[in-house]
Amino acid sequence: MKNKIVWILSILCIAAAAFSIFVLQGEDRNEPEIQFTEEIAYSPDMTEEDLLKGVTATDPEDGDISDRVVVESIVQSNGKDYVKVYYAVVDNSGNGVRTGREVPYADGADRTETSQPEESAEETVNAEEEAEETTAEPAEETAAEETPAEETPALETEAAPAAEAPVLTMKTDQATLARGTAFVYQEYVESITDNKDAQNDLFRELVINGTYDINTPGTYPLIFYTQDSDGNASNEVAFTLIVQ
């Protein structure tokens, strides 16, 4: 009787192991692939639709998933004849891939990053010196001539412009993902604007404050913000990630 029980348990263990191997083999672990079928030229006024022209994606299990490809970021480098555009896509099983390609500038395209010119320190000093000379020369004649008191402090009204922080705008305040799906957080950002830094640089400084686990179902409260090259932090935007 004892030998019969051991024999039955052995058969059950073998069956369980075979079933586990079958399940693992059936699980989709293959990453999709992004292809570029058409050459494009870059200009700063291009939309995401323009950048996705000729970009396709295929997956061994899901087939054509070109409609899921997103532009993750655009990296500009001074002195280069091209920009680096990064694309990302995720299949139904949560397998994601990120691919970059070099896109040459279009003829006549502006190759400088968007920025506001800073006030020259030399011009400020010269302006102050001219102001001092203007007020210093008639100083000896003030005994005979009346100098209006209002004119002297007028030179002090010009103050340095206040630092401007970046402005972060989101497309939505929450996202729901299936367990194991890649969280491509950049696609939920509408725009980031600043009076000095380009949007691409601000995207690279984007911070997600909070913890989350795409493999564990739950609701994760997060905070999105960024900062510019002067250290000015943007507004903080609350975001809720729901993993099912």
Side-chain angles (χ1 to χ4, degrees):
M1 181 69 180
K2 184 177 180 181
N3 292 335
K4 185 176 182 181
I5 293 175
V6 172
W7 180 74
I8 293 174
L9 291 176
S10 299
I11 293 177
L12 291 175
C13 290
I14 294 173
F19 179 75
S20 298
I21 294 174
F22 173 78
V23 170
L24 290 175
Q25 288 179 342
E27 184 178 351
D28 177 15
R29 297 185 179 182
N30 297 317
E31 293 182 350
E33 182 180 358
I34 296 176
Q35 302 92 16
F36 306 110
T37 61
E38 186 175 338
E39 296 295 332
I40 61 174
Y42 177 78
S43 61
D45 59 349
M46 294 181 74
T47 64
E48 183 175 17
E49 183 179 355
D50 296 330
L51 292 169
L52 289 172
K53 190 175 182 180
V55 181
T56 61
T58 56
D59 182 75
E61 299 293 333
D62 304 329
D64 185 3
I65 55 173
S66 301
D67 58 340
R68 300 186 186 182
V69 181
V70 297
V71 177
E72 185 182 73
S73 63
I74 303 171
V75 179
Q76 294 175 296
S77 301
N78 292 332
K80 301 292 186 180
D81 293 331
Y82 59 85
V83 298
K84 198 70 174 290
V85 182
Y86 290 92
Y87 302 86
V89 69
V90 180
D91 65 15
N92 288 332
S93 300
N95 302 308
V97 66
R98 178 176 182 265
T99 304
R101 68 165 170 172
E102 296 175 356
V103 179
Y105 280 99
D107 294 338
D110 184 8
R111 304 191 181 191
T112 59
E113 296 185 2
T114 304
S115 62
Q116 296 293 334
E118 298 181 356
E119 183 180 3
S120 169
E122 182 179 353
E123 292 177 359
T124 305
V125 172
N126 292 338
E128 292 178 352
E129 291 177 354
E130 291 176 3
E132 291 175 358
E133 291 175 0
T134 302
T135 56
E137 289 179 357
E140 298 178 356
E141 301 177 5
T142 51
E145 299 179 7
E146 292 184 4
T147 303
E150 295 79 11
E151 295 181 1
T152 302
L155 299 173
E156 301 177 359
T157 58
E158 295 184 2
E164 295 188 18
V167 177
L168 172 63
T169 304
M170 303 290 292
K171 296 178 181 177
T172 179
D173 60 358
Q174 73 174 35
T176 301
L177 302 177
R179 182 175 63 87
T181 302
F183 179 35
V184 185
Y185 55 84
Q186 293 91 339
E187 67 180 62
Y188 301 103
V189 177
E190 179 71 31
S191 64
I192 311 176
T193 58
D194 186 64
N195 68 320
K196 179 180 177 181
D197 293 352
Q199 179 169 266
N200 299 329
D201 295 328
L202 296 168
F203 257 100
R204 286 194 291 270
E205 298 300 326
L206 194 63
V207 176
I208 312 300
N209 201 352
T211 58
Y212 62 90
D213 185 356
I214 60 174
N215 295 311
T216 303
T219 300
Y220 302 94
L222 306 173
I223 297 292
F224 280 60
Y225 72 92
T226 188
Q227 65 178 20
D228 60 20
S229 57
D230 293 328
N232 301 312
S234 73
N235 54 305
E236 295 184 348
V237 180
F239 187 89
T240 301
L241 175 62
I242 301 172
V243 179
Q244 297 181 340

